[in-house]
Amino acid sequence: MTTRWGGAYTPGMNLSRRNLMLAGAGALAAGVTSEMIIGVPASAAGVVDYPGAQWVPASTSNYTVSNRPSSYPLNVVVIHVTQEFYPDALAIFQDPARKVSAHYVVRSGDGHIAQTVREKNIAWHAGNWDYNTRSIGIEHEGWVDQPQWFTDQLYTASAALTRSICNRYGIPKDRSHIIGHIEVPGSTHTDPGPNWDWTRYMRLVNS
């Protein structure tokens, strides 16, 4: 298991998100308990942007409050892979010391989706402030070198989410606007990696 997000971050810095996360065990050791990542059903929260998502809010220390798309245009969806188990990634987003977040996390086994940051706000996920301001970040449970994590359920659920985002903000459903973290300028990351099936994913997004 690789080391993930941890360390200091300020919104204007081009920092590696992979360097901004510690392993999930470290997050839990820091005091983020399992009870903190249960979240609440979307119907009870009343705040999710994507129907059916579960609201599991990130710490307010881990994103920038905004009013997109009025404050910044939204024209990119960035695809990530957590390099963590689903609950550990959520726990890290809820730890105010981590200074990292994404808008959504998709669970591998069943495609369940958690929303952790409102789409109008700026999640700290891309490692590039310009891209943070104009993108939605979607994390996927798994590891880049273990393709078994990229299940049918994960692809289907994520593609439906991306399709919804693109439809709502007028984002073209193509590979110039739906990109991997590796494609963010200045990125040092490889996710979603060579095992991510872009042909299949884009077909699903456009179905």
Side-chain angles (χ1 to χ4, degrees), residues 9 11-15 68 72-76 78 122-123 125-136 184-185:
Y9 175 87
M13 296 176 67
N14 285 340
L15 292 181
R68 304 185 305 172
Y72 296 95
L74 278 169
N75 53 28
V76 178
V78 181
I122 301 168
H125 65 98
N128 176 314
W129 180 242
D130 175 59
Y131 272 69
N132 278 344
T133 63
R134 57 192 180 91
S135 67
I136 301 291
V184 173

Side-chain angles (χ1 to χ4, degrees), residues 83-132:
Q83 300 292 105
E84 295 287 348
F85 292 109
Y86 173 86
D88 292 341
L90 294 178
I92 290 166
F93 292 167
Q94 293 190 320
D95 182 348
R98 302 303 176 206
K99 308 305 180 188
V100 65
S101 61
H103 294 92
Y104 294 97
V105 184
V106 184
R107 192 161 61 197
S108 172
D110 58 3
H112 179 74
I113 296 172
Q115 181 169 5
T116 60
V117 176
R118 291 293 306 274
E119 292 175 4
K120 67 180 181 179
N121 295 325
I122 301 168
W124 299 345
H125 65 98
N128 176 314
W129 180 242
D130 175 59
Y131 272 69
N132 278 344

Side-chain angles (χ1 to χ4, degrees), residues 33-76:
T33 67
S34 59
E35 289 77 10
M36 295 171 66
I37 63 171
I38 292 174
V40 293
S43 58
V47 294
V48 295
D49 297 296
Y50 182 66
Q54 181 184 21
W55 180 237
V56 187
S59 168
T60 56
S61 297
N62 294 341
Y63 63 88
T64 299
V65 173
S66 190
N67 189 32
R68 304 185 305 172
S70 297
S71 53
Y72 296 95
L74 278 169
N75 53 28
V76 178

Side-chain angles (χ1 to χ4, degrees), residues 71-205:
S71 53
Y72 296 95
L74 278 169
N75 53 28
V76 178
V77 176
V78 181
I79 302 300
H80 302 276
V81 174
T82 60
Q83 300 292 105
E84 295 287 348
F85 292 109
Y86 173 86
D88 292 341
L90 294 178
I92 290 166
F93 292 167
Q94 293 190 320
D95 182 348
R98 302 303 176 206
K99 308 305 180 188
V100 65
S101 61
H103 294 92
Y104 294 97
V105 184
V106 184
R107 192 161 61 197
S108 172
D110 58 3
H112 179 74
I113 296 172
Q115 181 169 5
T116 60
V117 176
R118 291 293 306 274
E119 292 175 4
K120 67 180 181 179
N121 295 325
I122 301 168
W124 299 345
H125 65 98
N128 176 314
W129 180 242
D130 175 59
Y131 272 69
N132 278 344
T133 63
R134 57 192 180 91
S135 67
I136 301 291
I138 305 176
E139 286 279 1
H140 299 81
E141 181 184 25
W143 283 262
V144 296
D145 59 348
Q146 298 178 27
Q148 65 269 26
W149 288 93
F150 305 148
T151 62
D152 292 343
Q153 294 89 338
L154 179 142
Y155 275 121
T156 300
S158 175
L161 170 61
T162 294
R163 185 188 317 118
S164 173
I165 292 167
C166 290
N167 287 341
R168 285 185 280 115
Y169 297 106
I171 302 172
K173 301 184 189 75
D174 58 37
R175 285 285 285 114
S176 295
H177 297 86
I178 302 170
I179 65 173
H181 194 186
I182 190 174
E183 297 169 276
V184 173
S187 175
T188 60
H189 308 304
T190 63
D191 62 313
N195 292 306
W196 183 263
D197 190 338
W198 278 110
T199 300
R200 176 184 183 185
Y201 189 70
M202 296 304 299
R203 184 173 63 248
L204 288 169
V205 168

